[in-house]
Amino acid sequence: MKIVFTFRPPRALQAQLKEIFSEDKFVYYKSVEEAEDLREAEVIVTFGEDLTTQHIENCPNLKWIMVASAGLERMPAEIIKERGILVTNARGIHKIPMAEFTMGYMLNHVKRFPEFLDLQKEKTWNHQMAVGELAGKCLLVLGSGAIGTEIARLARAFRMETVGVNRSGHKNDQFDEMHTMDKLLEILPKADFVVSILPSTEETKYLLDREHFQVMKETAAFINIGRGDLFKEEVLIDALNNNEISHAYLDVFIEEPLLEDHPFWNQQKLTITPHISSVTSEYLPRVQQIFVHNMNVYKKDGSNYENKIDMDKGY
Amino acid sequence: MKIVFTFRPPRALQAQLKEIFSEDKFVYYKSVEEAEDLREAEVIVTFGEDLTTQHIENCPNLKWIMVASAGLERMPAEIIKERGILVTNARGIHKIPMAEFTMGYMLNHVKRFPEFLDLQKEKTWNHQMAVGELAGKCLLVLGSGAIGTEIARLARAFRMETVGVNRSGHKNDQFDEMHTMDKLLEILPKADFVVSILPSTEETKYLLDREHFQVMKETAAFINIGRGDLFKEEVLIDALNNNEISHAYLDVFIEEPLLEDHPFWNQQKLTITPHISSVTSEYLPRVQQIFVHNMNVYKKDGSNYENKIDMDKGY
């Protein structure tokens, strides 16, 4: 059978597929536009942002779309459902890099690594710096799905207290406490770290307002790796200027890339990263692991696909 | 009874002792020289670097010395043994801050946080940076005592492979593999991170030579939180200049503080911290926890002291 990729994985990964599935034909293109034999595809592997209804219509043999990301919003859902095409994705692939990113900045914060870097540049030996630690600190995670749970698991290994907030308030083994969203103002005052992995929805848009930052500890650090519209930007700037929290680490923004004249760049107590918390060199190898598993299922009996999507539900 | 401190803990800790042991008399001095009523002490609490034979001779009632650190080298051992004075210390107190420090720099390394800091200063949004992760990487720990074991425990939570080296090669639950020192050259080539917590002894002095760095991965990062004389400084400088390893993180040095004209300061691929891996705001609270436990044992039946020292063995 013919498998068409609308992106080019590294050669080592291509070689691995050729070796495992030697009887199949894999072709790789830089983009869907260049995929001249797309119409012959039985399987399409895509990042999920390039396929149109027209593409699907032109592929009479298409039976399976493997989406090499977690996002499915731009997929032409109607024709996929009509045709009964199998869709799988790479859900869950972000939890390891995002949790490592979060622990990394939490450690940076208590250990004051950027300040030691400045001291090194000045050739200054200062053994008197007050250095903190994570053990015993309280971590509040907004959004307790796969990513939030992985962060809590690591935080517990660091002997932290873990508190979670989600829609249902349903318990989760990696959290000492779990609360519903409406309890947020009551829980925020005890957190040393507040981490948001919340997606952008009607409920979460501008969820954090002035009062939320005002009740946080002055020593608290806030980390946003979910979506930029969790708060209005001026709300955070004021919270930092008023010393309501000690530092914010932002990886996501209302408008990305962040414009060169954006006030965030120069903000004291604000660390900016360019939406890279989920970036990892292990991304494509991990996608391929899922793909190889599902290829074997597809060739066998179609049972036990990993990350099979119900296109009616969208997940 | 009278307890004399030759240092001043924060007031909150003093208040706690007063509350728990209300019938006892605690006095606090900045140094042993200022401790005018030292001779009345039944218990002395010290960092262990100030007491002389003369001091002990002048304290007829002295029964117990609590050393608020791990080091006992400067204690007047002979008279302590002669008089049968109980000695306890704060052994094990360094493992949490030192393991957090190590994980912090390992995350800094794979996540390239210092480079993102530079990008922020330039107001540059670069989403194309290749970011790695700890999961799946191999950590080699030289010295698998309490600190090395705590590092391995955390590394495992990060899904790393853990390999240890110690004198005996005795197994340890937190390490996937454990080897004796003489196997070092065989193990080094597979490590992505090499962390040393080795103390300075005849066996470890200049243990790492040119050949050791030469067999390490070019991408490996080396972290030294043990003692500075693990290698000759020029050996490391050459290894970095020859790209034999990718980065070194040094918290300890042959001569401390590092002199202002030391070549390390300007070295590319070298991160310097001023011997602070064990520093933590939780240090004295944790010493006090041990002390309170042992005070209760002392008052009761003398059984089950935490960190009781055998002065013959020195630990």
Side-chain angles (χ1 to χ4, degrees), chain A residues 122-141:
Chain A
E122 297 160 13
K123 303 186 182 186
T124 300
W125 180 277
N126 179 357
H127 183 72
Q128 303 305 316
M129 297 262 288
V131 176
E133 61 178 47
L134 295 185
K137 298 288 194 305
C138 176
L139 167 67
L140 173 60
V141 179

Side-chain angles (χ1 to χ4, degrees), chain B residues 210 213-214 218 234-246 267 269:
Chain B
R210 293 183 189 281
F213 289 100
Q214 279 158 8
E218 283 176 26
E234 63 269 26
V235 168
L236 180 70
I237 288 179
D238 288 348
L240 292 169
N241 285 339
N242 298 337
N243 300 314
E244 288 163 12
I245 61 171
S246 78
Q267 191 65 29
K269 308 180 197 168

Side-chain angles (χ1 to χ4, degrees), chain A residues 108 133-134 153 157 286, chain B residues 100 108 133-134 153 157 286:
Chain A
N108 249 266
E133 61 178 47
L134 295 185
R153 187 185 67 77
R286 233 168 246 152
Chain B
E100 289 193 7
N108 248 268
E133 60 179 46
L134 295 185
R153 189 185 66 78
R286 233 167 245 152

Side-chain angles (χ1 to χ4, degrees), chain A residues 10-116:
Chain A
R11 282 183 193 180
L13 293 179
Q14 296 184 24
Q16 189 193 36
L17 288 178
K18 196 171 176 179
E19 200 190 319
I20 304 176
F21 305 107
S22 51
E23 71 275 34
D24 299 308
K25 174 91 182 136
F26 293 89
V27 288
Y28 303 95
Y29 295 101
K30 271 193 189 160
S31 67
V32 72
E33 288 75 27
E34 294 183 17
E36 55 202 17
D37 50 356
L38 188 73
R39 55 180 304 112
E40 297 165 17
E42 184 172 334
V43 181
I44 296 177
V45 185
T46 163
F47 278 115
E49 308 193 321
D50 52 0
L51 293 180
T52 62
T53 303
Q54 189 65 48
H55 288 129
I56 310 286
E57 276 172 356
N58 289 344
C59 294
N61 305 322
L62 182 63
K63 299 222 169 54
W64 171 23
I65 303 171
M66 165 76 192
V67 181
S69 78
L72 295 164
E73 300 84 359
R74 302 206 200 167
M75 294 274 284
E78 282 314 310
I79 188 165
I80 288 172
K81 286 192 274 186
E82 241 175 71
R83 291 261 306 272
I85 294 167
L86 169 68
V87 177
T88 59
N89 76 354
R91 188 177 59 214
I93 205 169
H94 295 319
K95 73 177 184 180
I96 290 177
M98 291 178 83
E100 289 192 6
F101 177 94
T102 304
M103 297 314 301
Y105 273 119
M106 282 167 50
L107 285 164
N108 249 266
H109 188 75
V110 291
K111 297 296 180 190
R112 303 173 70 174
F113 289 158
E115 289 164 83
F116 284 113

Side-chain angles (χ1 to χ4, degrees), chain B residues 116-148:
Chain B
F116 284 113
L117 200 60
D118 287 342
L119 286 172
Q120 178 174 351
K121 283 175 190 156
E122 296 161 12
K123 301 185 182 187
T124 299
W125 180 277
N126 179 355
H127 183 72
Q128 303 306 316
M129 296 263 286
V131 176
E133 60 179 46
L134 295 185
K137 298 288 194 305
C138 176
L139 167 67
L140 172 60
V141 179
L142 312 183
S144 57
I147 298 159

